[in-house]
Amino acid sequence: VVSPCLPERWCPCSLVRKFRGDTFEISIEACGEDAELWIDGERRPIGQPIAASGNAQRRSVIVRARA
């Protein structure tokens, strides 16, 4: 479950996380009032689990975290 809340000075940042065979390239692009989550170009609800494909895919995750 992703529910981003980071100190403002941490934005922007990025990381790579391998999980159940997939590689998640996670970019935290901005901090502001509202959090947003985008996975592979599709906006997702905050708090929704991110499922691994199990097929060794590279996944793009963009997070706009609230301050």
Side-chain angles (χ1 to χ4, degrees), residues 39-52:
I39 303 171
D40 299 327
E42 181 180 326
R43 188 172 181 177
R44 300 281 185 92
I46 296 294
Q48 178 183 16
I50 302 171

Side-chain angles (χ1 to χ4, degrees), residues 17-66:
R17 168 80 165 113
K18 293 189 180 212
F19 178 69
R20 295 188 180 163
D22 287 352
T23 300
F24 291 85
E25 297 173 347
I26 303 167
S27 297
I28 301 171
E29 294 186 343
C31 292
E33 293 296 317
D34 296 318
E36 293 182 4
L37 176 64
W38 295 78
I39 303 171
D40 299 327
E42 181 180 326
R43 188 172 181 177
R44 300 281 185 92
I46 296 294
Q48 178 183 16
I50 302 171
S53 72
N55 297 322
Q57 292 183 356
R58 291 191 82 78
R59 311 285 304 275
S60 170
V61 179
I62 299 172
V63 178
R64 291 189 177 97
R66 64 181 175 272

Side-chain angles (χ1 to χ4, degrees), residues 7-18:
E8 196 170 324
R9 69 183 180 277
W10 287 18
C11 295
C13 62
S14 63
L15 63 115
V16 175
R17 168 80 165 113
K18 293 189 180 212

